[in-house]
Amino acid sequence: MYKTMRAAGIVLMAATVWAQTQVATVTSSTAFTLRGAAITPGQGVPMWPVLAGDDVTAGNAITIVTFPDGSVITLAPGAAGKFGLVNGQPSFELAGGTAHYSLKSKKAVVMIVGGQTVALTNETGTLPLSAAKAGGFWTAGHIAAVAIVGGAAAAGAGVAASDATGGGAPVSPSK
């Protein structure tokens, strides 16, 4: 009986982990919040996975979220958002602050503000939670810096994925 319960538990845990779909990765130069946990960068993990349903809150610096296709959403300091899937497509719902986006296509990520899907007119732009609060952090210099850092993060993610799946020298465990 114990073995049956143990096997059922293992199957349930595997199904739970498998059901959580990674939609993006997140990185920042300073502490930020992911899934309610404080993340301190610089401890050997350059990027953290963002799963469907995750909340991300930027700390005192911009926080960059990169999607598998290379699209990037950058949260201004203190901004917050929720990531998910809508009909199998990545989504981002701005919960507070301001976010800048640079997408591969206007439909790469479903953008939601105030509970409403936003019809994008360009692949790049800014999502303020309130039109009255637009501006602030997003100066031309900040946008250029975000584009450069976001591109580097996307390139780094591609290199990391290539290295992780590219094989390499065999390693045998020591006894």
Side-chain angles (χ1 to χ4, degrees):
M1 171 104 172
Y2 174 74
K3 287 183 180 181
T4 304
M5 290 176 62
R6 185 172 153 201
I10 291 171
V11 169
L12 180 60
M13 284 180 5
T16 301
V17 170
W18 198 322
Q20 293 183 345
T21 303
Q22 182 175 338
V23 295
T25 59
V26 60
T27 189
S28 182
S29 62
T30 63
F32 61 95
T33 304
L34 173 63
R35 292 180 217 117
I39 304 297
T40 304
Q43 297 180 346
V45 181
M47 290 181 239
W48 295 79
V50 177
L51 306 177
D54 281 353
D55 294 313
V56 175
T57 303
N60 295 326
I62 60 172
T63 299
I64 301 168
V65 180
T66 306
F67 295 86
D69 72 347
S71 294
V72 176
I73 292 178
T74 305
L75 300 173
K82 184 170 186 168
F83 295 83
L85 291 171
V86 174
N87 297 324
Q89 184 177 4
S91 66
F92 169 69
E93 182 170 3
L94 185 62
T98 304
H100 181 76
Y101 59 91
S102 179
L103 308 178
K104 293 297 177 180
S105 75
K106 288 186 252 184
K107 296 186 179 191
V109 178
V110 176
M111 301 289 203
I112 304 166
V113 176
Q116 301 293 317
T117 300
V118 177
L120 301 177
T121 56
N122 294 307
E123 286 83 12
T124 61
T126 302
L127 289 177
L129 190 57
S130 165
K133 294 181 182 178
F137 175 79
W138 296 108
T139 65
H142 283 143
I143 291 171
V146 167
I148 291 167
V149 172
V159 169
S162 173
D163 288 349
T165 60
V171 177
S172 65
S174 59
K175 293 183 180 185

